[in-house]
Amino acid sequence: MTFALGQRWISDTESDLGLGTVVALDARTVSLMFAASEENRVYARSDAPVTRVTFNVGDVIDSQEGWSLLVEEVIEDQGLHSYQGIRQDTQESVVLREIFLSNQIRFNKPQDKLFAGQIDRMDNFVLRYRAISNQYEQHKSPMRGLCGMRAGLIPHQLFIAHEVGRRYAPRVLLADEVGLGKTIEAGMIIHQQVLSGRAQRILIVVPETLQHQWLVEMMRRFNLHFSIFDEERCIEAFAEADNPFDTQQFVLCSLDFLRKSRKRFEQALDADWDLLVVDEAHHLEWSQEAPSRAYQVVEALAEQTPGVLLLTATPEQLGRESHFARLRLLDSDRFFDYQAFVNEEDQYAPVADAVTELLSGHALTNDAKNQITELLSEQDVEPLFKVLESQADEQEKATARTELIDNLMDRHGTGRVLFRNTRAAIKGFPKRNVHLLPMPIPSQYTTSMRVSGMIGGKMAPEARAMKMLYPEEIFQEFEGEESSWWQFDSRVNWLIEKIIAKRSDKLLVIASRSSTALQLEQALREREGIRATVFHEGMSILERDKAAAYFAQEEGGAQVLICSEIGSEGRNFQFANQLVMFDLPFNPDLLEQRIGRLDRIGQLRDIDIHVPYLEGTSQAILARWFDEGLNAFAETCPTGRTVYDRYSDSIIEMLASGDTSELEEVIEGSRHLNQELKLELEKGRDRLLEMHSNGGEAAQEIVEKIAATDGDTNLVTFALSLFDTIGLNQDDKGENALVVTPSEHMMVPSYPGLPYEGATITFDRETALSREDMNFISWEHPMIQGGIDLIMSEGVGTCAVSLLKNKALPVGTILLELVYVVDAQAPKQSGISRFLPATPIRLMMDARGNDLSAQVEFESFNRQLSPVNRHLGSKLVTSVQGDIHKLIDAGNQVVEPKLDEVKQQAHKVMYASLNGELERLQALKSVNPNIRDEEIEALEQQIQALDGYINHAQVQLDSLRLIVVSHN
């Protein structure tokens, strides 16, 4: 290909980019700028998938300034075209250089293919029309981004995600209690932001131990592929770019990695992120005098990044000052002074009291009315008070109450930046049945631990305390790796008996070390032939998936899954309700994580927690402290870490030495402190915030809307046709599962979202939730989205010929089915797809040029048609070519007013949605300082930009089908 600067080309694979301009050349590559969609592409010169744009005499072309030219002569000079002709508006003779051609010009004429004999199969034409129609429906759906995740439909999670995910650059604190699904909420928000184009570059910063959990959750639940960045990855990426963080769109790294390396921190700061997500934000310690280094790292990133999500289990876990510090990260202008924040928070109590009064349904007292009037303006509340005191029916009164509550919540202090759900407010958790099981210590352990005590005196107390928790490891140190501690360990004997007694139940066993987990599996297999599988950090993600799937399998699956500590991260095994802690972790947070694998919202049965421990060992001390000091087995323990920090020195000393003389005192002190802290948390519970966060009826409506789309037979039919057309092998596995693999006869070398070895897929949400080895296929899945993009870009099904057997019509009668698409070329992040996605307009032209589409519905009419082979199709087209030209011209006339209707409707929906939101934010701004100026400005700019994009929307003929009547 011969390229020159300033030439105009169009992409063969991404025709929606508009007209491109050659802006750079070197020996190997050519760079094109597509101004209409604000995209750049770099191609290899030798095989760039682009076509040179050349117009001919008689064509009408548009300039960037908006006027049109009738071409009379084409002049070529040094590889560039100039077009001489008559300017349509002024009728003067002008020259238009190709660099000034309109960026919006389109080239995709299905009639050219039809007349050239490149006729598609009829079923491909049908697939293309269904692809456009379904894509349109999905983009218009207010639930877009929420339907396709692999997660149960939990109201409060969906409400928060729906509320936050639609915002411009959301900056919020997600503070749900443990087990309520903050990671899922964050994932749903990220997913919506990505699909809408609002966020294209995302940085997730987490504690090092949670990196794997986040990687798996984002990939398994949302099909979002993040890259973990550490020093090794940065060195590798340096070969591709000066800043390694520029090499990936979605990056996941640990806070320690950025905290310890100034160079990497500065590189992360220089990379342009749209959204920053920080987990475990309560560990970011801050004081006005000395903020921690970790806090400063996050603060700097938060200042540079438009969108910020902070996740924390307990907002005030480290005290009010720390809570203020996290809010300060979200909006330093709003939360600038700690004392002012404290004073403001004290004003929230009357708001909560007023809402509680309204929710009770009782008649309002004068005090309550005065309180509400103080919080809202008199003109807002008086009409609503009148309704409540009138003889109006209960429905009207309920509406008035709801309006008052909504107004109070909108104006409530942190309601826009903080979302907080508690187990006390959200129902549906299982009961925990705790079984503490003291067991005799084997003499082999007593001996090896005594010897270890003699020679291990120089160890630091913490290291020694950790060591003493695992007597099986001490025994192996003396007897060698081959020694079988599991032959005599009383916990193993008990475990085998329990598994045999619970034949019909699945058991999740968690041990701290991967070596313990592997040896336990060996013990169960060799001693009793029990089907067990192992899950530990040394396995690849694929191996872990297989282990989890084997455990999840109902028939012929493993009865027992044995996890190392990493098994208590990132995976939910809610189909099981038996948890065995073979040993105990060192801190209360890890204990809660372990139990949280089964005790989660959505668990349908009570769970049994079995804690076998050896008497007279460190395990016994820890078991008693967790149980009696924190009640951490029976209840969630948000205060556990604070209590542990207070008593850690005493606990470490006891575990290291075995001296329990102070144990009763430590247990009593811990119990007392724990109760105090819990009372403080309960007193500080912000019930108004909880009401705002769980969404009430609005949340239930979202669940119902998404549930109604589950089990969509239209999706199944479409997906199977799509896979067939692309050339994928499909093998029905039963149990709602299908195995899809690449074939040798595929349309393209690789299929989007499909691994080289293929994938097991399901269209059923429940199946996908219990089988993590399966892909949950929805309209949002990359295999469907990527397949639709492939169909459109490869030009599949753009023209077809069919026969209609109908004796009521004369043989040879022709109909022409025309499918137009209205499209506004605009950057994805503008939000255009919400209001004017690619919109199909179908016409059915009869021989006289009348449009019959209103009388002839697509699917029912399509069932009456028969395909023809390409050879016969070409003959039929040639015989009526003149008629087809006339009908296309007639169709172009009919579609113009329909284009105007589509634009008007898009304007109407856009104004109703965004102007309504803008007016609400402007009104709230006067009473609630949590409304950021930049949020209002962004909305104003978005409305203005969308106005222009919708005005410039164009319609083009996407595909057509010639239908000829026959009698046989």
Side-chain angles (χ1 to χ4, degrees):
M1 294 182 182
T2 308
F3 293 98
L5 292 175
Q7 284 179 345
R8 310 307 295 271
W9 296 71
I10 192 157
S11 168
D12 298 339
T13 54
E14 299 175 281
S15 57
D16 59 327
L17 292 175
L19 203 55
T21 308
V22 177
V23 291
L25 288 166
D26 62 27
R28 291 189 307 108
T29 64
V30 56
S31 299
L32 267 71
M33 181 181 74
F34 295 91
S37 47
E38 297 182 12
E39 297 279 357
N40 288 306
R41 294 288 184 271
V42 179
Y43 302 110
R45 287 182 72 153
S46 55
D47 59 351
V50 291
T51 300
R52 179 81 165 97
V53 173
T54 307
F55 292 101
N56 300 311
V57 173
D59 287 339
V60 176
I61 55 178
D62 296 329
S63 76
Q64 284 180 17
E65 292 172 4
W67 48 267
S68 302
L69 178 83
L70 175 64
V71 178
E72 292 183 328
E73 185 184 356
V74 183
I75 304 155
E76 188 170 350
D77 180 28
Q78 296 183 344
L80 296 175
H81 296 317
S82 295
Y83 299 98
Q84 184 164 347
I86 303 296
R87 184 167 160 166
Q88 299 293 81
D89 54 349
T90 62
Q91 296 304 305
E92 59 186 310
S93 179
V94 294
V95 173
L96 177 63
R97 289 165 56 202
E98 68 174 297
I99 193 129
F100 297 118
L101 285 169
S102 166
N103 299 313
Q104 256 91 8
I105 289 174
R106 305 296 180 90
F107 304 87
N108 191 4
K109 295 185 175 175
Q111 61 268 45
D112 295 344
K113 279 180 73 179
L114 187 75
F115 299 142
Q118 296 178 331
I119 297 168
D120 288 304
R121 288 167 44 150
M122 181 177 117
D123 54 357
N124 284 0
F125 172 83
V126 173
L127 181 69
R128 186 180 186 87
Y129 178 69
R130 286 176 180 158
I132 299 168
S133 303
N134 285 316
Q135 189 100 325
Y136 169 75
E137 292 298 333
Q138 293 312 306
H139 279 291
K140 292 287 278 187
S141 167
M143 296 299 117
R144 187 167 183 240
L146 293 175
C147 298
M149 81 284 180
R150 182 208 296 269
L153 303 180
I154 308 224
H156 75 271
Q157 292 175 355
L158 288 164
F159 173 75
I160 291 173
H162 187 247
E163 177 71 21
V164 177
R166 296 175 303 160
R167 290 183 193 172
Y168 162 78
R171 294 178 77 90
V172 298
L173 181 63
L174 300 177
D176 284 357
E177 269 187 352
V178 173
L180 290 175
K182 290 181 296 297
T183 314
I184 291 177
E185 289 164 10
M188 288 194 274
I189 293 165
I190 294 168
H191 194 221
Q192 289 174 90
Q193 293 271 310
V194 168
L195 280 185
S196 66
R198 288 193 183 100
Q200 294 175 332
R201 288 183 47 73
I202 299 165
L203 175 65
I204 299 179
V205 179
V206 301
E208 196 159 349
T209 54
L210 297 182
Q211 285 184 125
H212 177 263
Q213 173 183 340
W214 272 87
L215 184 76
V216 171
E217 290 272 272
M218 292 301 105
M219 186 165 59
R220 286 281 166 264
R221 292 188 182 281
F222 305 101
N223 302 296
L224 294 168
H225 292 263
F226 278 79
S227 301
I228 291 183
F229 269 49
D230 52 19
E231 189 56 33
E232 192 181 335
R233 176 65 188 256
C234 286
I235 292 166
E236 275 175 32
F238 188 66
E240 297 174 52
D242 291 341
N243 186 342
F245 288 95
D246 288 338
T247 60
Q248 293 293 330
Q249 297 290 92
F250 300 160
V251 173
L252 175 60
C253 70
S254 80
L255 180 56
D256 273 355
F257 171 59
L258 296 180
R259 184 176 62 81
K260 288 175 181 172
S261 167
R262 177 163 287 281
K263 179 183 177 183
R264 298 307 178 203
F265 162 61
E266 286 172 354
Q267 287 173 331
L269 208 54
D270 287 343
D272 241 355
W273 306 108
D274 300 314
L275 185 63
L276 168 70
V277 183
V278 182
D279 196 8
E280 300 280 315
H282 47 276
H283 293 316
L284 300 172
E285 292 181 29
W286 175 88
S287 67
Q288 280 172 318
E289 303 75 39
S292 66
R293 173 71 184 147
Y295 185 91
Q296 291 172 321
V297 165
V298 173
E299 182 179 30
L301 286 166
E303 279 174 5
Q304 298 273 17
T305 311
V308 179
L309 302 182
L310 302 180
L311 282 69
T312 176
T314 308
E316 302 192 5
Q317 194 166 7
L318 298 175
R320 225 175 189 184
E321 200 175 66
S322 172
H323 179 40
F324 166 76
R326 289 193 292 279
L327 294 173
R328 186 175 163 275
L329 290 172
L330 298 173
D331 190 346
S332 55
D333 293 336
R334 160 79 178 86
F335 300 101
F336 63 92
D337 179 74
Y338 175 60
Q339 196 49 52
F341 168 71
V342 171
N343 297 341
E344 188 187 323
E345 269 209 325
D346 291 339
Q347 305 306 309
Y348 296 165
V351 185
D353 293 344
V355 170
T356 306
E357 191 87 18
L358 283 164
L359 284 169
S360 71
H362 301 142
L364 292 174
T365 63
N366 285 333
D367 283 351
K369 283 198 281 191
N370 291 337
Q371 207 168 45
I372 293 169
T373 308
E374 274 180 42
L375 295 162
L376 304 171
S377 70
E378 198 165 326
Q379 64 195 51
D380 283 343
V381 299
E382 279 307 321
L384 297 170
F385 285 162
K386 280 180 183 163
V387 173
L388 291 176
E389 289 164 3
S390 70
Q391 298 302 309
D393 64 29
E394 280 309 309
Q395 186 56 48
E396 280 181 71
K397 288 186 177 181
T399 306
R401 270 196 204 93
T402 303
E403 196 171 328
L404 281 168
I405 290 169
D406 286 346
N407 285 337
L408 284 165
M409 284 187 177
D410 254 346
R411 296 165 193 220
H412 170 54
T414 52
R416 243 188 105 68
V417 292
L418 174 61
F419 290 86
R420 165 88 174 139
N421 283 297
T422 62
R423 286 178 174 236
I426 303 280
K427 305 301 175 214
F429 282 93
K431 182 176 170 232
R432 297 178 178 184
N433 301 314
V434 182
H435 310 279
L436 291 178
L437 306 156
M439 299 187 175
I441 182 166
S443 57
Q444 294 94 323
Y445 284 167
T446 312
T447 307
S448 56
M449 287 165 77
R450 191 169 60 246
V451 176
S452 173
M454 291 173 191
I455 61 176
K458 292 179 183 173
M459 289 176 79
E462 190 160 346
R464 181 157 178 72
M466 285 292 286
K467 185 174 183 177
M468 298 307 284
L469 281 172
Y470 311 110
E472 64 276 9
E473 287 192 359
I474 297 171
F475 174 75
Q476 275 193 315
E477 275 180 29
F478 291 98
E479 300 296 328
E481 289 296 316
E482 300 306 310
S483 59
S484 300
W485 56 268
W486 44 265
Q487 296 283 17
F488 57 78
D489 191 311
S490 45
R491 294 170 298 169
V492 177
N493 300 336
W494 168 85
L495 179 60
I496 288 171
E497 285 171 19
K498 174 60 67 179
I499 293 167
I500 291 169
K502 295 266 184 190
R503 279 278 185 218
S504 58
D505 286 333
K506 301 270 187 186
L507 279 83
L508 177 65
V509 179
I510 301 182
S512 294
R513 309 285 210 267
S514 56
S515 54
T516 310
L518 287 161
Q519 288 169 313
L520 272 177
E521 188 276 331
Q522 183 187 355
L524 301 187
R525 180 168 28 86
E526 290 188 13
R527 285 181 58 179
E528 285 293 335
I530 291 165
R531 280 200 308 273
T533 186
V534 188
F535 194 101
H536 62 84
E537 59 271 31
M539 299 161 71
S540 69
I541 287 178
L542 192 63
E543 287 169 330
R544 289 179 211 178
D545 279 350
K546 283 181 179 170
Y550 182 39
F551 182 49
Q553 209 172 302
E554 282 186 31
E555 286 181 33
Q559 188 191 352
V560 184
L561 176 64
I562 308 165
C563 299
S564 64
E565 200 68 71
I566 202 167
S568 64
E569 289 178 10
R571 299 276 178 152
N572 299 334
F573 299 108
Q574 283 168 247
F575 51 84
N577 75 329
Q578 300 290 319
L579 174 65
V580 176
M581 300 217 196
F582 189 77
D583 51 34
L584 290 170
F586 203 40
N587 79 52
D589 289 354
L590 278 179
L591 183 78
E592 189 54 54
Q593 272 191 16
R594 284 185 177 193
I595 300 171
R597 294 310 104 213
L598 304 188
D599 179 13
R600 302 187 76 76
I601 193 156
Q603 168 66 267
L604 301 175
R605 297 177 292 170
D606 290 345
I607 60 172
D608 286 314
I609 300 169
H610 306 277
V611 187
Y613 63 88
L614 300 174
E615 291 171 311
T617 67
S618 299
Q619 292 180 0
I621 296 168
L622 205 51
R624 278 197 63 196
W625 181 70
F626 278 145
D627 184 44
E628 297 168 41
L630 295 180
N631 197 23
F633 295 117
E635 293 178 3
T636 55
C637 192
T639 51
R641 186 74 204 203
T642 314
V643 179
Y644 172 77
D645 288 343
R646 175 82 59 87
Y647 287 98
S648 57
D649 290 345
S650 303
I651 293 166
I652 286 166
E653 185 54 45
M654 276 189 274
L655 295 178
S657 65
D659 177 2
T660 58
S661 57
E662 290 182 20
L663 180 58
E664 298 301 331
E665 191 184 326
V666 168
I667 285 175
E668 187 53 34
S670 298
R671 191 171 60 77
H672 188 66
L673 176 60
N674 192 39
Q675 284 171 346
E676 268 183 20
L677 290 168
K678 280 193 168 179
L679 276 172
E680 271 179 46
L681 279 177
E682 183 60 27
K683 201 166 58 180
R685 255 182 79 195
D686 188 337
R687 285 173 182 74
L688 182 60
L689 178 60
E690 289 171 19
M691 292 169 210
H692 166 72
S693 300
N694 70 40
E697 287 179 15
Q700 207 51 52
E701 280 173 29
I702 295 170
V703 169
E704 284 162 15
K705 282 179 186 167
I706 296 173
T709 67
D710 280 359
D712 182 359
T713 53
N714 175 28
L715 168 62
V716 180
T717 310
F718 176 78
L720 299 184
S721 301
L722 177 66
F723 299 159
D724 269 342
T725 301
I726 304 292
L728 300 178
N729 296 323
Q730 300 165 55
D731 184 16
D732 191 344
K733 283 289 180 195
E735 290 187 346
N736 296 319
L738 197 68
V739 175
V740 181
T741 49
S743 74
E744 294 170 8
H745 314 291
M746 281 169 60
M747 182 190 293
V748 285
S750 64
Y751 184 78
L754 182 67
Y756 175 74
E757 68 280 2
T760 306
I761 66 170
T762 181
F763 296 93
D764 180 69
R765 187 181 298 275
E766 289 308 313
T767 304
L769 285 172
S770 64
R771 293 287 302 275
E772 292 199 344
D773 57 320
M774 291 186 188
N775 285 268
F776 175 47
I777 301 295
S778 68
W779 287 111
E780 293 168 2
H781 194 280
M783 282 178 69
I784 301 296
Q785 289 296 311
I788 289 175
D789 291 345
L790 202 56
I791 292 290
M792 304 312 290
S793 63
E794 294 285 321
V796 172
T798 53
C799 62
V801 179
S802 300
L803 294 179
L804 171 64
K805 292 172 185 170
N806 188 326
K807 295 195 174 169
L809 295 170
V811 172
T813 301
I814 67 165
L815 299 166
L816 191 65
E817 191 167 19
L818 301 168
V819 178
Y820 292 87
V821 172
V822 179
D823 192 10
Q825 283 188 346
K828 196 178 175 188
Q829 61 267 33
S830 68
I832 189 71
S833 64
R834 244 177 95 191
F835 309 109
L836 185 53
T839 305
I841 299 175
R842 173 178 165 266
L843 304 180
M844 176 65 77
M845 310 302 291
D846 68 9
R848 294 193 186 91
N850 301 313
D851 173 28
L852 309 177
S853 57
Q855 294 86 41
V856 182
E857 188 268 334
F858 180 82
E859 294 293 348
S860 54
F861 183 64
N862 185 62
R863 287 193 287 273
Q864 299 172 42
L865 302 179
S866 312
V868 299
N869 63 45
R870 185 177 280 192
H871 179 66
L872 176 57
S874 290
K875 279 188 168 180
L876 291 169
V877 169
T878 306
S879 65
V880 292
Q881 189 161 339
D883 296 326
I884 294 171
H885 275 297
K886 286 177 192 163
L887 291 181
I888 291 173
D889 288 342
N892 291 342
Q893 299 298 314
V894 172
V895 86
E896 278 304 320
K898 292 182 183 285
L899 167 63
D900 292 336
E901 284 171 31
V902 169
K903 285 185 188 178
Q904 284 168 16
Q905 182 61 20
H907 274 301
K908 186 177 164 187
V909 173
M910 188 267 287
Y911 289 140
S913 170
L914 298 187
N915 274 347
E917 179 66 2
L918 182 62
E919 284 165 17
R920 174 174 166 271
L921 290 182
Q922 285 168 334
L924 283 177
K925 178 80 180 150
S926 61
V927 289
N928 186 342
N930 277 309
I931 311 300
R932 293 178 292 137
D933 287 335
E934 54 264 46
E935 201 170 346
I936 290 176
E937 285 161 20
L939 210 44
E940 288 169 339
Q941 287 165 8
Q942 186 185 13
I943 292 168
Q944 192 179 355
L946 283 169
D947 208 40
Y949 294 136
I950 292 170
N951 281 335
H952 288 103
Q954 296 179 331
V955 67
Q956 68 175 11
L957 182 58
D958 176 84
S959 47
L960 53 78
R961 171 161 62 175
L962 173 66
I963 296 148
V964 181
V965 174
S966 75
H967 286 176
N968 4 329

